[in-house]
Amino acid sequence: LLGLRRLDEDQMEELEDLLLQADLGVRAVDQLMARLRFELRGGSEIDPKAVLKDELLKQLRQRPARPFVASGTQVVLLVGVNGVGKTTTLGKLAAHLKARGEGVLVVAGDTFRAAAIDQLERWGERAGVPVIRNQMGGDPAAIAFDGATSAQAKGTPWVLIDTAGRLHTKDHLMKELDKIHRSLQKVIPDAPHRVLLVLDATTGQNGLQQAEVFARTAGVTDLVLTKLDGSAKGGVVVPILDRLKLPIAFVGVGEGVDDLIPFEAEAFVDGLLD
Amino acid sequence: SLTQKLSQAMKTLRGQSKLTEANLEAVLREVRMALLEADVHVSVARTFLQRVKEKALGAEVMQGLNPAQAFIDIVHRELVEIMGGQAPEHPITFASKPPTVVMMVGLQGAGKTTTCGKLAVFLKKLGRSPLLVPADVYRPAAIEQLHVVAREAGVPSFRTDVKDPVAICAAALAEAKLKGWDTVILDTAGRLHLDEGLMEELVRIKAATSPDEIFFVADAMTGQDAVRSATAFHEKLGITGVVLTKTDGDTRGGAAFSIKQATGQPLKFVGEGEKLEDFQRFHPDRMAQRILG
Ligand SMILES: Nc1nc2c(ncn2[C@@H]2O[C@H](COP(=O)(O)OP(=O)(O)OP(=O)(O)O)[C@@H](O)[C@H]2O)c(=O)[nH]1
Ligand SMILES: Nc1nc2c(ncn2[C@@H]2O[C@H](COP(=O)(O)OP(=O)(O)OP(=O)(O)O)[C@@H](O)[C@H]2O)c(=O)[nH]1
Ligand SMILES: [Mg+2]
Ligand SMILES: [Mg+2]
């Protein structure tokens, strides 16, 4: 009987390691393991992974994603730290909306990084949608204003605005997002209708700080988790959802135009526990 | 902070003259928590704590006025030691016969292209004449990006109509030998270590150019995956150094420790901003302080 008890402790450590390696974070893992130990106390036949899956699904289904439905002119702003996949995600989303037969205008709001506008224009060509731009170094709030104005005048249902990558610790850059918001509101009072915070699945616990600051200062409405085609599990979205209750709209699973899929809680949890 | 947490844990150990296996557990738990919250890999933290435990056991730590601080010093010292100790070596091994070839590799979006420009500026200050080579033919406007970065750095970049990354790198190397540039910096496309075809491409670029340095460029905010990706790149290519980027944020940077432990390769540089001058030698003591919080 003692031997059996010892095996259980090793298995518990193995499960805890699995959850930690998925980037769930110490707090979330402690809560999950506490729940598991509680269930196992009963002594009856329990599949530990089934318990964990059940608990994780509960947490991830709290805020189901709102579908992207055209209604008047909808303005979508993509934000996030450097290199996470904002521009690529925008390109994929533009292609998806265009393929649905809905008009899209893409706005080159990253006027800072080398060849950012060229990169976005290539994506515009790939998606078959127009891209509005000014020169490098221009004011992103100004091009956002122009984009919203043009779309509203033409009745274009979707305006997708790319922004420069920025670390949430840089106040002047976070203030720039606020300026973009106010600029959009001058054209369309409810804009931006969506603010997508793009998160890289390889990100560790810093993802929580990113989400908190962007949520507080940029009015994030949805999360997008990219690079899930890699080996990283993206578990940091669990504590993010627990604290901020944001829906996950999409998941990026590659670098191609079709590699953006709706977030599916069960598939995601299976990936975490794999 | 960790010092405060350890002081709390150590209050219960007051009056004991020596650290024993039993009374050390609570203290080690606090350190483990700090490491995991800092994104240090689970196995790396485990191995490290075992090492710290051995150093601390039997130590006279408890005699001092501030056992928590003394314990932290042991932890800090060990962390610094593992991440590069005094780091006296020159960050780049220059080839005896020019040009020196530096190859940048890593996952998508880590900061390779920007780092190529930063390294070029760094080398120019040392009196070298670098040539930047755009070998990312996949990402839209990646080649343009490298040319813009080169222009900003005030260094030449290789131009060609050749479309194959391996051929581009080989041609650039030949050009450098002909024209007398003494350092060739190869910017490769971001890729997943899971992508066998693209990992093979790196092997072919390596075979064609015999790099003197292969730098794994890693994002400082990487979590547990750092060990997996760094190990895969190292096993496939034999990386010779690591550049940690985006350290100007508030990420604790445990990935630095994980990558060092997993690959055994030196942490050479940090990128601490988007500008080309935001580039510095890696300092293990600064990183250790950040990881411990
Ligand atoms: N494998 C994979 N790569 C991706 C995914 N999404 C984006 N990428 C890649 O990640 C890299 C960075 O993507 P970008 O779209 O330039 O990222 P960004 O957030 O716009 O970057 P900045 O504007 O510089 O902050 C590129 O190489 C993309 O191809 C994904 O879902 N999977
Ligand atoms: N804040 C900050 N941003 C950085 C740093 N290094 C690079 N970046 C930014 O990170 C983003 C990605 O940089 P790139 O150089 O395009 O990354 P990459 O590895 O070449 O990307 P791929 O080629 O798509 O794999 C850009 O927005 C850079 O400006 C850094 O040290 N600090
Ligand atoms: Mg971008
Ligand atoms: Mg690049």
Side-chain angles (χ1 to χ4, degrees), chain A residues 81-88 110 113 116 119-120 162-165, chain B residues 139:
Chain A
V81 304
N82 307 72
V84 295
K86 298 175 293 300
T87 305
T88 305
D110 180 354
R113 204 213 67 212
Q119 181 189 8
L120 190 65
D162 191 22
T163 66
Chain B
R139 168 173 155 158

Side-chain angles (χ1 to χ4, degrees), chain A residues 181 192-196 213-222 246:
Chain A
H181 270 71
H193 304 84
R194 298 279 188 144
V195 177
L196 306 185
V213 176
F214 274 93
R216 192 174 61 239
T217 60
V220 174
T221 60
D222 303 78
L246 289 164

Side-chain angles (χ1 to χ4, degrees), chain A:
Chain A
L1 217 72
L2 210 62
L4 202 65
R5 176 63 58 83
R6 168 140 321 148
L7 177 62
D8 280 352
E9 267 319 302
D10 279 350
Q11 279 182 327
M12 290 305 261
E13 184 175 276
E14 242 175 73
L15 282 170
E16 192 188 50
D17 271 18
L18 177 70
L19 295 172
L20 285 169
Q21 285 187 51
D23 285 314
L24 288 174
V26 181
R27 217 138 308 216
V29 174
D30 282 350
Q31 286 172 4
L32 285 164
M33 294 308 289
R35 162 86 200 278
L36 184 59
R37 283 178 200 280
F38 179 77
E39 294 294 327
L40 289 174
R41 260 182 18 202
S44 54
E45 282 304 304
I46 296 243
D47 173 9
K49 276 205 176 173
V51 173
L52 294 172
K53 177 166 175 172
D54 179 65
E55 187 64 24
L56 283 163
L57 279 177
K58 236 197 273 141
Q59 296 194 33
L60 289 167
R61 284 181 169 151
Q62 289 184 79
R63 279 297 304 274
R66 271 184 309 139
F68 274 54
V69 177
S71 146
T73 294
Q74 294 276 307
V75 177
V76 182
L77 192 66
L78 281 100
V79 302
V81 304
N82 307 72
V84 295
K86 298 175 293 300
T87 305
T88 305
T89 297
L90 189 156
K92 295 169 179 176
L93 182 58
H96 168 74
L97 295 168
K98 174 79 200 281
R100 275 190 351 198
E102 296 166 23
V104 180
L105 175 65
V106 168
V107 179
D110 180 354
T111 56
F112 170 75
R113 204 213 67 212
I117 297 179
D118 302 87
Q119 181 189 8
L120 190 65
E121 284 184 319
R122 299 282 168 81
W123 270 105
E125 287 165 24
R126 198 177 272 182
V129 306
V131 179
I132 187 172
R133 57 162 293 179
N134 274 336
Q135 328 99 313
M136 284 296 276
D139 181 5
I143 193 63
F145 182 91
D146 291 348
T149 303
S150 166
Q152 194 171 45
K154 297 194 181 126
T156 308
W158 297 102
V159 180
L160 308 183
I161 306 177
D162 191 22
T163 66
R166 69 202 66 221
L167 295 184
H168 51 288
T169 47
K170 314 223 162 156
D171 286 340
H172 63 294
L173 295 182
M174 296 309 289
K175 282 207 172 67
E176 185 182 75
L177 287 182
D178 189 53
K179 193 159 175 265
I180 294 173
H181 270 71
R182 283 182 280 118
S183 189
L184 290 169
Q185 279 152 14
K186 288 192 196 129
V187 187
I188 304 173
D190 289 343
H193 304 84
R194 298 279 188 144
V195 177
L196 306 185
L197 173 62
V198 182
L199 293 167
D200 187 325
T202 65
T203 305
Q205 297 311 297
N206 194 247
L208 189 53
Q209 265 86 287
Q210 291 174 29
E212 286 191 317
V213 176
F214 274 93
R216 192 174 61 239
T217 60
V220 174
T221 60
D222 303 78
L223 304 177
V224 177
L225 188 62
T226 61
K227 308 180 196 172
L228 260 190
D229 47 316
S231 54
K233 302 297 176 76
V236 70
V237 296
V238 172
I240 291 175
L241 260 60
D242 180 56
R243 199 170 299 187
L244 299 175
K245 316 275 188 270
L246 289 164
I248 303 174
F250 304 109
V251 163
V253 292
E255 304 187 69
V257 72
D258 295 322
D259 295 329
L260 189 69
I261 59 177
F263 174 73
E264 216 294 298
E266 181 152 12
F268 181 74
V269 173
D270 286 341
L272 285 182
L273 298 175
D274 181 21

Side-chain angles (χ1 to χ4, degrees), chain B residues 113 136 139 145 187-188:
Chain B
T113 306
D136 178 355
R139 168 173 155 158
Q145 184 188 3
D187 182 26
T188 69

